[in-house]
Amino acid sequence: MERVERRLMNRISEVSINETQAVLSRWVRHVKLRLGHLFIHKGFLLIIIGFLLGRALILSKLTPFALPFFAAVYMLRRDKAALAFIALLAGSLTLSFETTLFVFVGVFGFLIIHAWIRKFFSESLKLVPFVVFCLSFSTKLAISYYWLGNQTLYEAVMALVEAGLGLVLTLIFIQSIPLLTVRKYKHALRAEEIISLIILLASMLTGMIGWTVYGLSLEHVMSRYLVLLFAFVAGATIGSTVGVVTGLILSLANVGNLYEMSLLAFAGLLGGLLKEGKKAGVSFGLLIATLLIGLYGNGKTEIVPTIMESCFAVILFTLTSRSITEKIAKHIPGTVEYTNEQQQYVRKIRDVTAQRVSQFSNVFQALANSFSTGGLSASDDYREREIDYFLSDITEKTCQTCFKKEQCWSYNFDTTYEYMKQIMLEADAKTLPHNHQLLREWDRHCVKADKVVDLIEKDVMVYQANRKLRRQINESRKLVAEQLLGVSQVMEDFAKEIQKERENHYLQEEQIFHALQEFGIEIGHVDIYSLEKGNIDIEMSIPYCEGHGECEKLIAPMLSDILGETIVVKREECAVYPNGYCRVAFGSTKAFVVETGVAFAAKGGGLVSGDSYSMIELGTGKYAIAISDGMGNGERAHNESNETLRLLQKILQTGIDESIAIKSINSILSLRTTEDMYSTLDLAIIDLQNAVTKFLKIGSTPSFVKRGDKVMKIEASNLPIGIIKEVEFEIVSEQLKAGDLLIMMSDGVFEGPVHVENQDLWMKRKIKELKTNDPQEVADLIMEEVIRSRAGRIDDDMTVVVAKIKHNTPKWATIPAYMYTKKAQ
């Protein structure tokens, strides 16, 4: 019992803790949202910036920040311009009345001049820096000359300097203020935007000059905190840049802070270099820089306050939440967070694209399912109902006015119906005139026997036509369903291909890099995109090779030895200048290549043959060879066979299965015309990775494979394309080998020899007797033998296509590759 109570108490405590954590998390999230709304949307951040810039000084006299800040806010966030103006006045009041007067006059002067400029110029933003320059110079000069009475050349020069700084600061604030006040989705900061933001933040720090806490300068603490933050987020480059810019502006504001520039720059550099040690490493870099620069700059008397200021900056930096640093890092190119953010965005776009493609695939599949529903004409119920309709129509035309209607259809319904149904079926089968017994029995049963028989024989032709039309519709629906299903499958495969992630191959990249370096080849970098067997994809950069072909002669054979697969140069982009780097793409080559030869002749020695042939390079690593023989001869047959091959090529290159492609072509050719125009198709699809070959023979003659002294015949029994509507094609597969000769021919060649009883044996004997393996020579010799057997006559179109399967050996693959103890997996 005690154990049960203890378990219950533990569970209750766990639930309460989880609930407390959830409540706390919601409260923190709510506070963050409220603070973000207060600072960004309500403009409280602009009030803080305006107050600090209103009291910021350069050389203890110049105030160039106020007017540029107001001008930038007025142009970019006009609804918050009043808040910025009040904050600037409040900040300037902490300095002197003359500074407040300068801000007041400058702001109202800007409003008046800008309103006047807008009447004449549409793009007034481009003129704002010049307006600030002129207004700042004239206002400062007027206050110095007429209000303070300092009519000296020095005052005029200082006014000119302050106006020039105002012009530059206006350009900077216009770029940096949107970064702090407007939320941009996935906005990457450019280099100039980062510098502008740093200048704005450093300018705000000058407004803290004179503020101390227990003898520690607040601007020193915050400037070092700023350097720590950027060094931790973006590394040594950005960290040192922030240190230099911040230190420079602080030293301009107070010459006593000149050594701060060295300290901040060194701290940013050390902190960035030690960022792998997380916050502790960056903080250690600041403390080391403080000790070194502090001792060098001010001696031992000032070292303790300086170290204390750095320690306070480290404490603030340690208390900074991880979410803030990650949020800043996402906007700075080159950081890990930025890269992950970009990859996440690309992954989201990829997933959305794949999802849309998959949705289209589902639509096509749904359409295929709707078309593939069984046709009513195939069901027995529908056939019986169709016969009932037919007999009802006959009865309406003959029996309605007959005096024996009641006797036949009321008392002898079954007998009358069976007689008429049997007559209809016999008429449909065209055997009714020979069935004398049925006609005699019907003559005894019906008083209008001859009239009913004549009408049935006449209307049964319409019945047959309707049935044929319905069958064609169902066959077309089935074909459309298969085509839609094929398209759906292709799109689904494409969606899966889109969703494939690129695998990380850091280990293999390192192994290849070191292997090539040990061989003495200098490599810039190696990027592996795929190590899939037969689909290897590697890119690398090498120094300018001066066109000597190092990639093809040296690197590709070495990669072949390392990866255990033949690698060739797929693409090469040479450097445009001698000291640059060439970018080279390596990839898998096919295990086999196909060398072809063709011989053809038109009937009677004419110019246009009814046969067509095609060699198609498919993008899926396959090679297709096709011969089509149109019905008859001449241009009409040539157009028919050529159209067959053209459609075949277009459909096969989409990735649709071969059998669906053939059925699609069969439907198109059979439905596009009512004339009897048929085509044969002899198709061989060779897989270039393993030499497995699929044969689809549609009404075509056999093909032959010569392997050494052996000759094999490959045949299949399929009717020509377009001769029937619904057909299932037989696909024959055969494993070919290197050195095999594949010989395909039209019927004009196979059936050409006269006085030959067995064409198979004659063709096998002629192929076996060939002394050459050159595809073109083989095609020419077979054509010559056939024509010679007919005493030089060409009675039909003739086409011979010969393909030789060969191992794919790159040009430089025979270079001996060096052995390595470790090979990339």
Side-chain angles (χ1 to χ4, degrees), residues 642-656:
N642 189 58
E643 180 71 7
T644 301
L645 294 185
R646 189 185 67 82
L647 292 172
L648 176 68
Q649 179 175 355
K650 296 294 185 183
I651 297 176
L652 285 179
Q653 287 177 339
T654 63
I656 293 180

mmCIF file of all heavy atoms in Angstrom, residues 642-656:
data_model
loop_
_atom_site.group_PDB
_atom_site.id
_atom_site.type_symbol
_atom_site.label_atom_id
_atom_site.label_comp_id
_atom_site.label_asym_id
_atom_site.label_seq_id
_atom_site.Cartn_x
_atom_site.Cartn_y
_atom_site.Cartn_z
ATOM 1 N N ASN A 642 7.023 6.168 -89.640
ATOM 2 C CA ASN A 642 7.770 7.247 -89.020
ATOM 3 C C ASN A 642 6.992 7.867 -87.858
ATOM 4 O O ASN A 642 7.564 8.232 -86.818
ATOM 5 C CB ASN A 642 8.106 8.311 -90.065
ATOM 6 C CG ASN A 642 9.056 9.351 -89.518
ATOM 7 O OD1 ASN A 642 10.144 9.018 -89.070
ATOM 8 N ND2 ASN A 642 8.652 10.610 -89.570
ATOM 9 N N GLU A 643 5.675 7.988 -88.014
ATOM 10 C CA GLU A 643 4.839 8.510 -86.940
ATOM 11 C C GLU A 643 4.854 7.577 -85.735
ATOM 12 O O GLU A 643 4.878 8.017 -84.581
ATOM 13 C CB GLU A 643 3.402 8.693 -87.452
ATOM 14 C CG GLU A 643 2.421 9.242 -86.423
ATOM 15 C CD GLU A 643 2.683 10.702 -86.108
ATOM 16 O OE1 GLU A 643 3.537 11.329 -86.769
ATOM 17 O OE2 GLU A 643 2.043 11.215 -85.175
ATOM 18 N N THR A 644 4.854 6.272 -85.997
ATOM 19 C CA THR A 644 4.922 5.302 -84.910
ATOM 20 C C THR A 644 6.186 5.486 -84.090
ATOM 21 O O THR A 644 6.160 5.533 -82.852
ATOM 22 C CB THR A 644 4.864 3.877 -85.476
ATOM 23 O OG1 THR A 644 3.643 3.704 -86.204
ATOM 24 C CG2 THR A 644 4.930 2.855 -84.352
ATOM 25 N N LEU A 645 7.334 5.624 -84.758
ATOM 26 C CA LEU A 645 8.602 5.782 -84.047
ATOM 27 C C LEU A 645 8.692 7.132 -83.352
ATOM 28 O O LEU A 645 9.281 7.243 -82.275
ATOM 29 C CB LEU A 645 9.771 5.605 -85.014
ATOM 30 C CG LEU A 645 9.934 4.209 -85.610
ATOM 31 C CD1 LEU A 645 11.201 4.140 -86.443
ATOM 32 C CD2 LEU A 645 9.981 3.153 -84.515
ATOM 33 N N ARG A 646 8.133 8.163 -83.963
ATOM 34 C CA ARG A 646 8.170 9.486 -83.338
ATOM 35 C C ARG A 646 7.380 9.493 -82.029
ATOM 36 O O ARG A 646 7.838 10.013 -81.003
ATOM 37 C CB ARG A 646 7.609 10.533 -84.299
ATOM 38 C CG ARG A 646 7.792 11.974 -83.830
ATOM 39 C CD ARG A 646 7.091 12.932 -84.778
ATOM 40 N NE ARG A 646 5.652 12.778 -84.720
ATOM 41 C CZ ARG A 646 4.871 13.328 -83.791
ATOM 42 N NH1 ARG A 646 5.410 14.075 -82.844
ATOM 43 N NH2 ARG A 646 3.573 13.138 -83.811
ATOM 44 N N LEU A 647 6.191 8.902 -82.054
ATOM 45 C CA LEU A 647 5.395 8.809 -80.829
ATOM 46 C C LEU A 647 6.097 7.945 -79.785
ATOM 47 O O LEU A 647 6.104 8.271 -78.591
ATOM 48 C CB LEU A 647 4.019 8.220 -81.159
ATOM 49 C CG LEU A 647 3.081 9.096 -82.002
ATOM 50 C CD1 LEU A 647 1.847 8.309 -82.405
ATOM 51 C CD2 LEU A 647 2.679 10.339 -81.234
ATOM 52 N N LEU A 648 6.700 6.857 -80.238
ATOM 53 C CA LEU A 648 7.399 5.971 -79.317
ATOM 54 C C LEU A 648 8.532 6.704 -78.598
ATOM 55 O O LEU A 648 8.710 6.588 -77.387
ATOM 56 C CB LEU A 648 7.950 4.765 -80.077
ATOM 57 C CG LEU A 648 8.784 3.780 -79.266
ATOM 58 C CD1 LEU A 648 7.893 3.050 -78.264
ATOM 59 C CD2 LEU A 648 9.494 2.787 -80.174
ATOM 60 N N GLN A 649 9.297 7.476 -79.342
ATOM 61 C CA GLN A 649 10.425 8.193 -78.749
ATOM 62 C C GLN A 649 9.948 9.208 -77.715
ATOM 63 O O GLN A 649 10.502 9.293 -76.614
ATOM 64 C CB GLN A 649 11.227 8.891 -79.846
ATOM 65 C CG GLN A 649 12.414 9.688 -79.334
ATOM 66 C CD GLN A 649 13.248 10.267 -80.454
ATOM 67 O OE1 GLN A 649 12.993 10.001 -81.621
ATOM 68 N NE2 GLN A 649 14.228 11.075 -80.112
ATOM 69 N N LYS A 650 8.914 9.966 -78.051
ATOM 70 C CA LYS A 650 8.422 10.981 -77.128
ATOM 71 C C LYS A 650 7.908 10.355 -75.830
ATOM 72 O O LYS A 650 8.168 10.866 -74.738
ATOM 73 C CB LYS A 650 7.305 11.802 -77.785
ATOM 74 C CG LYS A 650 7.746 12.606 -79.001
ATOM 75 C CD LYS A 650 8.725 13.697 -78.620
ATOM 76 C CE LYS A 650 9.072 14.560 -79.816
ATOM 77 N NZ LYS A 650 10.088 15.593 -79.481
ATOM 78 N N ILE A 651 7.196 9.229 -75.958
ATOM 79 C CA ILE A 651 6.589 8.619 -74.772
ATOM 80 C C ILE A 651 7.649 7.918 -73.924
ATOM 81 O O ILE A 651 7.645 8.020 -72.697
ATOM 82 C CB ILE A 651 5.469 7.645 -75.189
ATOM 83 C CG1 ILE A 651 4.341 8.418 -75.900
ATOM 84 C CG2 ILE A 651 4.918 6.904 -73.987
ATOM 85 C CD1 ILE A 651 3.245 7.547 -76.440
ATOM 86 N N LEU A 652 8.587 7.225 -74.565
ATOM 87 C CA LEU A 652 9.615 6.514 -73.807
ATOM 88 C C LEU A 652 10.506 7.472 -73.038
ATOM 89 O O LEU A 652 10.956 7.172 -71.931
ATOM 90 C CB LEU A 652 10.462 5.651 -74.746
ATOM 91 C CG LEU A 652 9.838 4.360 -75.266
ATOM 92 C CD1 LEU A 652 10.802 3.644 -76.188
ATOM 93 C CD2 LEU A 652 9.429 3.446 -74.118
ATOM 94 N N GLN A 653 10.792 8.639 -73.604
ATOM 95 C CA GLN A 653 11.679 9.586 -72.951
ATOM 96 C C GLN A 653 11.050 10.226 -71.722
ATOM 97 O O GLN A 653 11.752 10.859 -70.936
ATOM 98 C CB GLN A 653 12.124 10.666 -73.935
ATOM 99 C CG GLN A 653 13.129 10.154 -74.959
ATOM 100 C CD GLN A 653 13.525 11.203 -75.979
ATOM 101 O OE1 GLN A 653 12.799 12.182 -76.180
ATOM 102 N NE2 GLN A 653 14.662 11.008 -76.611
ATOM 103 N N THR A 654 9.738 10.077 -71.534
ATOM 104 C CA THR A 654 9.096 10.580 -70.316
ATOM 105 C C THR A 654 9.275 9.634 -69.139
ATOM 106 O O THR A 654 9.000 10.012 -68.010
ATOM 107 C CB THR A 654 7.591 10.798 -70.548
ATOM 108 O OG1 THR A 654 6.970 9.539 -70.855
ATOM 109 C CG2 THR A 654 7.359 11.772 -71.687
ATOM 110 N N GLY A 655 9.731 8.400 -69.402
ATOM 111 C CA GLY A 655 9.911 7.433 -68.337
ATOM 112 C C GLY A 655 8.742 6.487 -68.159
ATOM 113 O O GLY A 655 8.752 5.653 -67.257
ATOM 114 N N ILE A 656 7.722 6.566 -69.015
ATOM 115 C CA ILE A 656 6.579 5.659 -68.931
ATOM 116 C C ILE A 656 7.014 4.263 -69.340
ATOM 117 O O ILE A 656 7.867 4.085 -70.214
ATOM 118 C CB ILE A 656 5.427 6.173 -69.820
ATOM 119 C CG1 ILE A 656 4.876 7.483 -69.238
ATOM 120 C CG2 ILE A 656 4.305 5.161 -69.933
ATOM 121 C CD1 ILE A 656 3.746 8.076 -70.041
#
